[in-house]
Amino acid sequence: MAYDLLITGGMVVDGSGFSRYRADVAVKNGVIVEIGRVRGAAARTIDADGLVVAPGIIDLHTHYDAQPFWDRLCTSSVWHGVTTSLMGNCGLTLAPLRPEHREAMLATFCCVEDLPVRSLSAVLPWTWQTFDEYLKAIDIGLGMNLMPLVGHNPLRLSAMDKAAWDRPATPDEIAVMQRLLRESIEAGAWGWSTTDSPTHAGPHGEPVPTRLADDEERIALGRTLGELNRGVIEILPKGAGAPTDADHAHLTDVARASGRPVFFLTFDAAPRPRVEAATREGVQLYALLRAIPFNPRFTLKKTTFFSNLDVWDVVMAKSLDERLAAFTDPAKRAELREWADQRQRRRPGVPGRFIKWASIVVKKTAMAKNRALEGQALTELAAAQGKHVADAMLDLALEEGLDTEFELQSRPPAEDVALAEFVRTGHAIPSQSDAGAHLNTNFCTAGESSWVLAEWVRERQLLTLEDAIRRYTFQPARIVGLRDRGLIAVGMAADLMVFDPATIGVKEDEISRDGPSGTPRRVQRAIGVHQVVVGGEVVMDAGEHTGALPGRVLRAGRAHEVSAR
Ligand SMILES: [Zn+2]
């Protein structure tokens, strides 16, 4: 057989940003070997007539660190055509770590990323201490390729022990961190990650260790990458929603000292002028935006929306009759009010652990007489009625037999224009899916690329198809130094996705019961993704897993001999 796989008649959008063209793509031994009008037999042929053939998506912000131990396929990402993801973000990784720090690190990871700590701890084998041992432990045949970063938190714990939770590091401790970082990079880490975000706290509200670091510590770790001339840096700044001048100066300092690409997370286009200024100076600074909004809708009839809010979760789990009784019981009402407020005070800013009442609007009323309330924020409604916000919501819902539809709005759609413009400058990448995290919460944004292809490309024409694909393939590959992926070209690894541009999109989130140890988790499925190919093997076919697990842990600085399999 001339080829292992032949994809015929598709529209090739090759990742370079240049124009699409119709061509066949032939694969042999995991590598793209011919493009154009290909003759010759293949073990498997995919008819891509009317479909787009693109490089697999490279997702720059995921938290799949523990997922291989309970889901080797790495869903939800692989459903959307993600074939490689950068993991170990936000300073939260499970290596290098001595046994005495495992429990605290896992608890912190689970708390920040909303993962079920008990069921995860039951499936983690903890067979590693060094970064190299960890990479071996997760390289067990996966649905996609993983590119691990090493987290600043385990480096701190290893170098400082308990003091990591209390204070900045001494020069000696920084030197230990630099040595551990060097070892991890030499083992194949793609860089390091850190967080300074006030929302990142451990199970008792304590700041994660990296938040105790001073600027000099991060600059020193940046210098280590500079010496190795390898790796990227991911920083969640103090003001993740709106990076301050001080944040920006620090990001630029780290980028300057290291000479390496620095990614920082943001949710809007405000940092654009400062990023452009830094770039003009030759500093490699990139904003990772979250393009996909998380706007969950819910009624009080059946929702997981309050499952993270104590007392509310118990009431919401009751039968409908019991729930109605609880909502009308004045004593229970007082408790619900109290918990709504108390949780916010106690755990300020931990995503998913409180309810952002001001962002919840009445989406759709069941009764005609309440129509005027549609579009109103619950806080406005409460103010107008002189009630507590919880009462305003519950009274309306009770009047309508719990059929009122509410929506949590993370962003008004008009803001997308500025976000897409920022992306078009090349300094921002819409890649903040957070896949692998937030299994417990009421949103999932793992399908970010599918959402962008649907909303920004097809529906609103804010990006061209070629440009959007480039942002998810060649651009991230080039920045992180992944040389054999991110383009459809002869000699590149055959990581591909075949999709229908007319239908691609995300389905409404679902709860599936296949989380760690069978716990429930939130997933987001794709629409319009026909095939996902990793290393030349079809992993997803018409939404179904073929059983293939060809994904590997990619180690930086090694040739990824794509035909090695
Ligand atoms: Zn993150």
Side-chain angles (χ1 to χ4, degrees):
M1 210 67 82
Y3 307 113
D4 299 329
L5 176 67
L6 183 59
I7 303 172
T8 60
M11 197 64 86
V12 173
V13 178
D14 70 2
S16 66
F18 294 140
S19 307
R20 66 195 77 180
Y21 61 100
R22 193 182 301 281
D24 310 323
V25 177
V27 173
K28 178 84 179 171
N29 294 330
V31 181
I32 299 170
V33 290
E34 212 172 333
I35 303 168
R37 295 201 179 153
V38 179
R39 275 169 251 282
R44 161 127 202 227
T45 300
I46 292 170
D47 176 6
D49 185 32
L51 304 175
V52 167
V53 184
I57 304 290
I58 299 170
D59 189 335
L60 291 175
H61 193 95
T62 72
H63 292 278
Y64 279 113
D65 303 64
Q67 193 149 332
F69 299 112
W70 57 272
D71 170 32
R72 287 164 62 189
L73 188 53
C74 299
T75 56
S76 304
S77 293
V78 71
W79 295 331
H80 296 273
V82 178
T83 54
T84 300
S85 81
L86 193 65
M87 57 182 258
N89 281 283
C90 301
L92 299 158
T93 64
L94 304 175
L97 214 52
R98 289 198 300 276
E100 62 266 33
H101 297 129
R102 286 172 180 163
E103 205 181 318
M105 191 60 235
L106 184 66
T108 304
F109 177 56
C110 288
C111 187
V112 172
E113 300 304 344
D114 266 303
L115 298 164
V117 66
R118 249 176 303 162
S119 40
L120 252 191
S121 128
V123 298
L124 283 193
W126 287 120
T127 49
W128 61 87
Q129 292 196 34
T130 67
F131 204 73
D132 179 58
E133 288 164 350
Y134 167 71
L135 297 190
K136 286 193 187 112
I138 58 167
D139 199 6
I140 47 179
L142 304 166
M144 65 173 172
N145 303 308
L146 294 177
M147 302 171 74
L149 297 172
V150 59
H152 187 187
N153 282 300
L155 296 179
R156 271 197 134 232
L157 286 168
S158 301
M160 300 172 70
D161 201 26
K162 288 197 172 62
W165 300 92
D166 296 330
R167 58 167 174 80
T170 63
D172 285 350
E173 288 163 342
I174 290 178
V176 176
M177 278 187 249
Q178 288 177 308
R179 176 176 58 76
L180 291 167
L181 172 59
R182 219 170 285 129
E183 281 171 18
S184 303
I185 298 287
E186 276 156 13
W190 291 83
W192 58 270
S193 68
T194 187
T195 175
D196 202 13
S197 168
T199 62
H200 284 179
H204 308 291
E206 68 281 21
V208 301
T210 57
R211 286 174 54 197
L212 281 304
D214 56 21
D215 288 356
E216 197 38 53
E217 184 175 324
R218 290 192 179 85
I219 289 170
L221 294 177
R223 265 193 224 109
T224 300
L225 288 197
E227 285 157 21
L228 296 165
N229 197 25
R230 286 239 302 266
V232 295
I233 299 165
E234 183 251 2
I235 301 181
L236 186 55
K238 212 171 245 132
T244 61
D245 287 336
D247 285 338
H248 199 79
H250 179 50
L251 291 166
T252 313
D253 285 347
V254 175
R256 244 186 237 127
S258 63
R260 305 303 309 164
V262 171
F263 297 118
F264 70 100
L265 303 194
T266 182
F267 292 94
D268 63 35
R272 181 176 158 186
R274 288 186 294 206
V275 174
E276 286 180 333
T279 304
R280 274 195 294 275
E281 190 201 308
V283 164
Q284 299 186 67
L285 190 59
Y286 297 94
L288 285 192
L289 293 173
R290 177 163 298 166
I292 183 172
F294 36 108
N295 292 355
R297 287 187 193 187
F298 61 94
T299 70
L300 296 185
K301 219 169 210 168
K302 189 170 179 289
T303 179
T304 54
F305 195 84
F306 299 97
S307 61
N308 266 40
L309 201 63
D310 293 72
V311 180
W312 288 75
D313 58 350
V314 176
V315 173
M316 291 307 296
K318 288 180 189 296
S319 71
L320 189 57
D321 285 347
E322 287 174 314
R323 203 180 319 150
L324 285 167
F327 284 155
T328 41
D329 171 21
K332 190 51 86 179
R333 269 288 181 101
E335 242 184 290
L336 291 167
R337 275 196 299 269
E338 194 200 334
W339 274 95
D341 297 339
Q342 208 177 44
R343 278 307 241 186
Q344 283 204 54
R345 278 202 301 274
R346 223 202 269 166
R347 313 276 309 265
V350 178
R353 303 277 181 177
F354 64 96
I355 305 294
K356 286 184 192 162
W357 297 105
S359 303
I360 300 177
V361 298
V362 178
K363 187 71 186 173
K364 223 167 137 228
T365 57
M367 298 167 82
K369 76 180 196 58
N370 291 330
R371 226 40 32 110
L373 304 179
E374 289 181 1
Q376 273 197 40
L378 282 183
T379 43
E380 288 166 18
L381 186 64
Q385 297 178 340
K387 289 177 184 169
H388 188 279
V389 68
D391 288 328
M393 178 178 73
L394 291 172
D395 288 345
L396 173 62
L398 279 172
E399 187 188 9
E400 301 199 327
L402 303 192
D403 281 324
T404 322
E405 203 175 282
F406 300 95
E407 184 178 70
L408 176 78
Q409 293 190 330
S410 62
R411 181 178 82 220
E415 281 181 21
D416 289 36
V417 175
L419 290 181
E421 264 172 24
F422 194 9
V423 169
R424 291 202 302 270
T425 65
H427 309 312
I429 304 175
S431 188
Q432 211 198 107
S433 77
D434 241 355
H438 304 296
L439 300 185
N440 292 337
T441 23
N442 38 49
F443 65 89
C444 177
T445 47
E448 180 157 49
S449 52
S450 300
W451 185 89
V452 164
L453 291 169
E455 295 298 322
W456 283 10
V457 175
R458 183 180 62 237
E459 303 300 329
R460 300 180 66 187
Q461 289 104 45
L462 299 175
L463 292 179
T464 64
L465 177 62
E466 286 85 350
D467 198 16
I469 291 294
R470 169 170 62 164
R471 306 298 170 194
Y472 286 117
T473 58
F474 179 61
Q475 189 178 15
R478 216 274 295 143
I479 297 170
V480 300
L482 188 57
R483 284 168 298 194
D484 59 359
R485 281 156 223 268
L487 279 177
I488 295 187
V490 169
M492 299 297 270
D495 289 358
L496 302 162
M497 74 183 290
V498 179
F499 68 92
D500 183 351
T503 60
I504 192 164
V506 295
K507 283 192 186 155
E508 198 135 329
D509 307 356
E510 311 160 36
I511 304 290
S512 66
R513 300 205 64 91
D514 56 354
S517 316
T519 48
R521 63 164 177 148
R522 189 167 287 268
V523 296
Q524 187 168 56
R525 289 180 184 274
I527 305 168
V529 176
H530 287 231
Q531 280 86 22
V532 181
V533 178
V534 175
E537 288 188 52
V538 180
V539 173
M540 296 298 303
D541 193 4
E544 296 294 326
H545 180 210
T546 60
L549 291 166
R552 290 175 308 162
V553 173
L554 304 180
R555 296 191 186 219
R558 317 276 165 98
H560 305 113
E561 287 317 326
V562 281
S563 54
R565 207 164 291 121

